[in-house]
């Protein structure tokens, strides 16, 4: 069964303390892995799309990487405003062509 | 430019009532998606429109749920005979064609009492 698992469920960092969030997937024939940021009471905000193993994308303090089994969202020297829930989603495998399956997210808190 | 907007932002209704949730996508986006998000979970796909037609409604949980997009822009998600289990945040997203990144609205929080 196609699955997307994110870990950890919650992560608390001190400002400037770099770390990584994990997204493991079992979808075969990946047609895209997506990272989103979601603030409380708001809809997800698009960050990155990755399509093939070895691909990397960066935006400010965030860097997303992809292997055949998982993706990492690396956060370098985070600031309190990086606090949010980070969601990953995949499209591919047995999922209908239009489905994008989301993980449950990692809730990140960055303390000053 | 203007993003995806959804109305109302909050809706409280009694069990058994009918509700309509509205989504205004980004101008020019041909694809429109509805998702449902329960507390502590990621969004769950409900239905996808390409233009005016529902290209994929496989995520709708049952026949109490229905969505329309009559002119290929605004969409309405309709829920009949609401149940307490329907309580969730309903998210709408749009994209420029299928397969491209989706841009989400702020959601409608539905509470069924």
């Amino acid at each position: 069964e196609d699955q997307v698992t994110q870990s950890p469920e919650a992560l608390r960092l001190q400002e400037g303390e770099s770390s990584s969030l994990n997204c493991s997937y079992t979808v075969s024939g990946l047609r895209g892995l997506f990272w989103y940021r979601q603030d409380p009471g708001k809809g997800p905000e698009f960050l990155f799309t990755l399509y093939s193993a070895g691909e990397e994308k960066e935006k400010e303090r965030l860097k997303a990487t992809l292997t055949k089994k998982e993706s990492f969202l690396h956060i370098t020297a985070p600031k309190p405003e990086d606090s949010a829930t980070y969601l990953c989603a995949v499209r591919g495998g047995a999922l209908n062509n239009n489905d994008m399956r989301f993980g449950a997210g990692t809730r990140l808190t960055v303390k000053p | 430019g203007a993003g995806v907007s959804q109305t109302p932002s909050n809706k409280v209704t009694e069990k058994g009532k009918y509700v309509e949730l509205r989504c205004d996508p980004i101008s020019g986006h041909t694809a429109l998606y509805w998702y449902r998000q329960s507390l502590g979970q990621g969004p769950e796909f409900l239905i996808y429109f390409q233009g005016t037609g529902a290209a994929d409604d496989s995520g709708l949980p049952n026949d109490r749920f229905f969505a329309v997009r009559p002119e290929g822009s605004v969409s309405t998600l309709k829920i009949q005979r609401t149940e307490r289990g329907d309580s969730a945040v309903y998210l709408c997203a749009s994209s420029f064609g299928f397969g491209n990144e989706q841009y989400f609205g702020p959601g409608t929080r539905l509470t069924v009492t």
Side-chain angles (χ1 to χ4, degrees), chain A residues 31 34 36 38 41-46 49 51 87 91 96-105, chain B residues 33 35 37 40-43 45 48 55-56 58 91 98-107 109:
Chain A
R31 295 194 299 276
F34 305 82
Y36 285 83
Q38 187 172 27
K42 297 189 177 182
E45 174 189 345
F46 172 76
T49 308
Y51 290 103
L87 297 163
R91 177 179 282 140
N96 186 292
N97 201 36
N98 307 299
D99 283 357
M100 195 162 63
R101 179 160 296 176
F102 281 84
Chain B
Y33 308 78
Y35 292 83
Q37 186 174 27
Q41 300 298 315
F45 171 80
Y48 154 68
D56 180 6
S58 62
L91 294 164
F98 169 72
N100 297 314
E101 56 264 24
Q102 298 177 17
Y103 294 87
F104 283 80
R109 181 176 298 279

Side-chain angles (χ1 to χ4, degrees), chain B residues 2-95:
Chain B
V4 178
S5 62
Q6 293 186 246
T7 55
S9 55
N10 282 284
K11 176 71 177 178
V12 180
T13 190
E14 293 180 348
K15 179 177 179 296
K17 299 289 188 182
Y18 167 84
V19 296
E20 290 189 352
L21 312 179
R22 176 187 168 109
C23 171
D24 283 82
I26 293 172
S27 178
H29 280 192
T30 56
L32 185 147
Y33 308 78
W34 283 99
Y35 292 83
R36 177 168 69 175
Q37 186 174 27
S38 300
L39 191 64
Q41 300 298 315
E44 174 189 18
F45 171 80
L46 295 177
I47 186 170
Y48 154 68
F49 287 89
Q50 181 61 43
T52 61
D56 180 6
D57 62 0
S58 62
L60 295 177
N62 52 60
D63 61 6
R64 295 187 297 106
F65 289 75
F66 188 72
V68 295
R69 194 185 184 200
E71 298 179 355
S73 178
V74 170
S75 176
T76 304
L77 178 66
K78 308 180 180 191
I79 309 174
Q80 298 177 324
R81 304 183 304 279
T82 51
E83 300 177 356
R84 292 193 180 88
D86 298 335
S87 296
V89 175
Y90 288 82
L91 294 164
C92 174
S94 69
S95 68

